[in-house]
């Protein structure tokens, strides 16, 4: 896929949604399939809602420790349920956070 191409759900070539308003549970399930997440549970949805609320309110990437603590989930919850923060961000239907934030997220990968 070329950088200007979009999937049917509006994701760009690296699978970030260009418009977070296009996100819904069906779109999230399609993204999860592309990310290799076979089974979705309540923590998946809670993390996605948290990421969306935080980003749409603040325009920033929250610290993983805050996400897990605020949702009363175990430390490392984003890695446990998504494999890493970039995958969680994509699942939550959020746009490309930019090079600096992507680098930050990649540095959190195990």
């Amino acid at each position: 896929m070329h950088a200007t191409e979009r999937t049917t759900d509006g994701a760009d070539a690296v699978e970030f949604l260009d418009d977070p308003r296009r996100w819904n549970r069906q779109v999230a399930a399609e993204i999860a399939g592309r990310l290799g997440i076979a089974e979705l549970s309540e923590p998946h949805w809670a993390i996605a809602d948290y990421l969306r609320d935080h980003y749409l309110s603040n325009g920033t990437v929250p610290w993983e420790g805050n996400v897990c603590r605020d949702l009363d989930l175990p430390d490392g919850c984003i890695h446990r349920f998504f494999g890493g923060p970039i995958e969680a961000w994509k699942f939550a239907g959020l746009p490309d956070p930019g090079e600096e934030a992507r680098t930050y997220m990649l540095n959190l990968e195990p």
Side-chain angles (χ1 to χ4, degrees), residues 40-108:
L40 296 171
S41 62
E42 275 310 306
H44 286 97
W45 300 114
I47 292 167
D49 289 340
Y50 185 103
L51 292 175
R52 289 180 60 76
D53 289 345
H54 185 88
Y55 174 78
L56 296 171
S57 296
N58 304 301
T60 62
V61 176
W63 183 61
E64 180 178 10
N66 289 347
V67 176
C68 301
R69 184 190 64 238
D70 292 350
L71 294 174
D72 199 25
L73 293 171
D75 289 344
C77 66
I78 290 177
H79 287 86
R80 177 179 177 190
F81 290 102
F82 293 99
I86 289 179
E87 294 81 4
W89 196 259
K90 290 177 181 181
F91 176 78
L94 297 169
D96 185 337
E99 186 175 347
E100 186 176 335
R102 279 193 321 274
T103 300
Y104 166 76
M105 290 175 170
L106 283 171
N107 287 331
L108 295 175

